[in-house]
Amino acid sequence: MSALAGKLRQLRAQSGQVTASPVAARPAMPANVRNLLLRHAQIKQQGPARLASRDRDVAGDEIAPGLRYTEARMDWLQPPALIDAAFARMEPMHHDRLLHFDTETTGLAGGTGTRAFMIGAADWIDGRFRIRQLTITSMAAETAMLRTFAGWLSDDTVLVSYNGKCYDAPLLATRYRLARLANPLHGLAHLDLLHPVRRRWKGVWENCRLATAERQLIGVVREDDLPGAEAPAAWLTYLKGGSAANLRRVAHHNAQDLKSLAGVLIQLSNLGEIPPPRRVRKIT
């Protein structure tokens, strides 16, 4: 039979017909390669488990499933007389009404796909500076975080932020709307410190970022600070089962932002650069 098949191939070749060469048999896959591919498929199927870490400690008390709360109080480092003078210049905007706030989010683009995974807020209680932070460790905890933050606001609250009018407030408004909750920021007075800083030092400093303002005005130079651009990766890594180390660094970064907000506000007030706060317009 094999001789006949060979004769037929010879006749086809002589007549000009082209035939495909017989397909060579695949060599057997080495056992180590096969095992490696199987292991890769198992890891891919397991998903988050491949990032499992023992370092899963997120600071704070769990006040709702997946929602962590931290609170700290500190004595202000600047002389009380300097603080009192600054607050006196801000009347009738009494300092007890001020709420400094800052969010850490999953991206800088905004829109419905971006969410806040951490909300930090700071105010003055009995002459001491109080910092409160909310951190969600699961997607399902976002509504609980939004409700808790809303409880920190009242009708006469004056918001203090850095670029919060353009970023933090609209982002939170979107998250409240998607959660079918009333937006508690609507109608509140809002003092965005980026605007007086730009008005006074644009073109004088290399830029008007908060890091520059805090260095120039209150002498804060951050060391081992996690850049804000790395915050989304820190949270997403934790959600996938990874280490909480960078998420804790995000919390430290957020707390320093709040302290810097208060320090910059006091310095601007003493320089006569604080305008009357404007009420937040309705964001649709």
Side-chain angles (χ1 to χ4, degrees), residues 23-142:
V23 178
R26 284 187 177 181
M29 182 181 294
N32 61 334
V33 176
R34 183 173 63 254
N35 292 337
L36 183 62
L37 291 175
L38 288 173
R39 178 58 181 158
H40 176 75
Q42 291 172 354
I43 291 174
K44 186 175 182 181
Q45 185 176 9
Q46 291 170 359
R50 70 181 184 274
L51 292 173
S53 170
R54 294 183 178 180
D55 184 5
R56 302 283 294 164
D57 184 23
V58 178
D61 300 320
E62 190 170 54
I63 60 175
L67 177 62
R68 292 276 178 166
Y69 170 78
T70 61
E71 179 178 325
R73 301 191 185 196
M74 56 175 284
D75 293 319
W76 200 248
L77 300 178
Q78 292 175 295
L82 182 65
I83 300 174
D84 292 341
F87 288 149
R89 293 186 180 93
M90 287 188 278
E91 293 295 347
M93 186 176 65
H94 197 272
H95 68 277
D96 288 342
R97 297 167 53 198
L98 300 176
L99 186 76
H100 311 75
F101 82 106
D102 183 54
T103 64
E104 305 299 333
T105 68
T106 57
L108 298 177
T112 57
T114 304
R115 70 179 68 213
F117 63 85
M118 182 181 296
I119 302 177
D123 53 6
W124 298 90
I125 301 294
D126 298 327
R128 305 188 74 199
F129 195 62
R130 177 177 65 173
I131 295 176
R132 292 176 287 177
Q133 292 173 302
L134 297 168
T135 305
I136 56 174
T137 58
S138 70
M139 295 284 194
E142 182 185 28

Side-chain angles (χ1 to χ4, degrees), residues 16-281:
Q17 295 181 15
V18 179
T19 60
S21 300
V23 178
R26 284 187 177 181
M29 182 181 294
N32 61 334
V33 176
R34 183 173 63 254
N35 292 337
L36 183 62
L37 291 175
L38 288 173
R39 178 58 181 158
H40 176 75
Q42 291 172 354
I43 291 174
K44 186 175 182 181
Q45 185 176 9
Q46 291 170 359
R50 70 181 184 274
L51 292 173
S53 170
R54 294 183 178 180
D55 184 5
R56 302 283 294 164
D57 184 23
V58 178
D61 300 320
E62 190 170 54
I63 60 175
L67 177 62
R68 292 276 178 166
Y69 170 78
T70 61
E71 179 178 325
R73 301 191 185 196
M74 56 175 284
D75 293 319
W76 200 248
L77 300 178
Q78 292 175 295
L82 182 65
I83 300 174
D84 292 341
F87 288 149
R89 293 186 180 93
M90 287 188 278
E91 293 295 347
M93 186 176 65
H94 197 272
H95 68 277
D96 288 342
R97 297 167 53 198
L98 300 176
L99 186 76
H100 311 75
F101 82 106
D102 183 54
T103 64
E104 305 299 333
T105 68
T106 57
L108 298 177
T112 57
T114 304
R115 70 179 68 213
F117 63 85
M118 182 181 296
I119 302 177
D123 53 6
W124 298 90
I125 301 294
D126 298 327
R128 305 188 74 199
F129 195 62
R130 177 177 65 173
I131 295 176
R132 292 176 287 177
Q133 292 173 302
L134 297 168
T135 305
I136 56 174
T137 58
S138 70
M139 295 284 194
E142 182 185 28
T143 299
M145 177 182 68
L146 294 173
R147 285 199 174 106
T148 302
F149 179 61
W152 298 353
L153 305 171
S154 58
D155 292 341
D156 64 347
T157 296
V158 177
L159 301 170
V160 181
S161 70
Y162 206 88
N163 197 34
K165 283 186 178 180
C166 292
Y167 184 73
D168 302 84
L171 184 143
L172 288 176
T174 298
R175 302 316 303 177
Y176 277 105
R177 183 166 62 250
L178 292 175
R180 297 184 179 181
L181 298 173
N183 177 14
L185 283 72
H186 171 57
L188 299 183
H190 191 158
L191 186 58
D192 191 331
L193 301 184
L194 174 62
H195 302 300
V197 167
R198 276 181 175 167
R199 186 169 55 248
R200 176 77 179 258
W201 289 286
K202 183 178 181 180
V204 178
W205 297 345
E206 65 271 28
N207 58 59
C208 292
R209 295 171 56 241
L210 179 58
T212 303
E214 67 185 7
R215 183 176 69 250
Q216 295 286 351
L217 295 176
I218 57 178
V220 170
V221 179
R222 304 197 192 197
E223 296 180 0
D224 193 32
D225 181 63
L226 185 75
E230 296 182 23
W235 186 65
L236 293 173
T237 295
Y238 179 82
L239 284 191
K240 294 176 182 178
S243 170
N246 276 347
L247 188 56
R248 292 193 296 270
R249 293 178 67 195
V250 173
H252 289 305
H253 172 91
N254 181 264
Q256 182 57 59
D257 281 352
L258 296 170
K259 289 185 281 188
S260 292
L261 273 175
V264 170
L265 173 63
I266 290 171
Q267 291 298 101
L268 289 173
S269 179
N270 285 323
L271 292 171
E273 293 291 335
I274 296 298
R278 296 180 180 178
R279 294 194 173 275
V280 177
R281 63 180 177 84

